[in-house]
Amino acid sequence: MSENEKKKEKKPFMDDWGGLAPEILTNIISRLTIQERWTGPMFVRKSWLAVCRDPYLWSSFDLEPWFESYPESTQWWSPDFERKIGSMLRSVVDWSDGGLTEIRVRHCSDHALSYAAERCPNLEALAVRSSPHVTDASMAKVAFRCRSLKELDISYCHEISHDALVMIGRNCPNLTTLKRNLMDWSDSSRQIGSVVPTEYFDACPQDGDTEAEAIGKHMMNLERLEIRFSRLSAKGLAWVCEGCPKLEYLDLFGCVHLSSRDIANNVSRLKGIKEVKKPDVYVPRSEPVVAQTERYGHWRLYDERFDIQSMRI
């Protein structure tokens, strides 16, 4: 068989793929991960690129599986990487035609998040953890434009203050999940070899009670709350437990200012509580909390703050 004949035999096969009905091709592409879509069919031919931009495919933009599949890199904290994430998010917002209901990214820029909030009023789940430049400005747009928000993850976002929590709480009454975890500021040895810039560790928010007050006063429908390594005190925990009676899950890991008695007394008010993650961290009282900490895999210590017998959770 000549070379020309071989080419003629192959051509119909390629024509069949190229001539697939858009709805069939959309169904096929919808089964791919975001990474697979971005690196594969978009570059095959223009007709495939057009299908990849179908709003049907972009009700969700979830990069978390990609981040979880790679070890964290110093490059993730660079301006260039943030620009790439921002560019991807803006593209998906445009392709979704405002239909995005879920965004899960890291290292997002303030501008990109504002762009998304202004154009995606039906957003229900937003996760922008480890985004050092996301501020109250973009969070205000989320609060006022995305009132159907049910889940929010702003962990490790140090430029977001309690003011943003107040705005979100007042304008997003359907919010049931809040993740406001902080980095482990209590153990300086953990910073050695970390990919996170040292100055970012040092900028860890200090106003744990102020944030707890904002949560307690304005997020009464919360069912799940994560505030790992928050610097809240017993007073802050009281605000949370008084103002969020529907809590079922409460993560207090690393909250070194709370004793077991503080937790037991306040959590007892939560009638529907199912699980509480305890601090599991001990900081000697005679030393500053920023000093080296001692860690234990259990709470059977002699200090009263870790007396497991006093727990009634």
Side-chain angles (χ1 to χ4, degrees), residues 162-178:
H162 69 279
D163 291 327
L165 295 175
V166 171
M167 287 186 288
I168 291 291
R170 286 176 175 172
N171 294 281
C172 304
N174 297 322
L175 192 72
T176 58
T177 298
L178 174 66

Side-chain angles (χ1 to χ4, degrees), residues 72 77 82 107-108 128-134 154-160 180-183 185 191 194-206 231:
E72 191 166 2
W77 294 86
E82 184 180 274
H107 302 281
C108 182
V128 288
R129 55 178 292 192
S130 300
S131 296
H133 298 118
V134 166
I154 50 173
S155 299
Y156 323 122
C157 296
H158 294 177
E159 292 301 314
I160 295 177
R180 176 54 169 166
N181 300 309
L182 301 180
M183 294 180 179
W185 51 268
Q191 300 178 25
S194 171
V195 300
V196 181
T198 302
E199 60 271 19
Y200 198 64
F201 264 115
D202 297 339
C204 184
Q206 309 285 320
R231 304 196 188 201

Side-chain angles (χ1 to χ4, degrees), residues 69-113:
S69 65
Y70 292 95
E72 191 166 2
S73 167
T74 54
Q75 289 186 325
W76 293 2
W77 294 86
S78 69
D80 185 55
F81 187 79
E82 184 180 274
R83 282 193 293 271
K84 290 179 179 177
I85 295 296
S87 178
M88 290 180 71
L89 179 56
R90 289 192 297 273
S91 293
V92 171
V93 167
D94 292 340
W95 299 340
S96 75
D97 197 23
L100 271 176
T101 59
E102 178 184 37
I103 297 174
R104 299 184 191 277
V105 297
R106 301 186 195 179
H107 302 281
C108 182
S109 68
D110 212 40
H111 175 71
L113 180 55

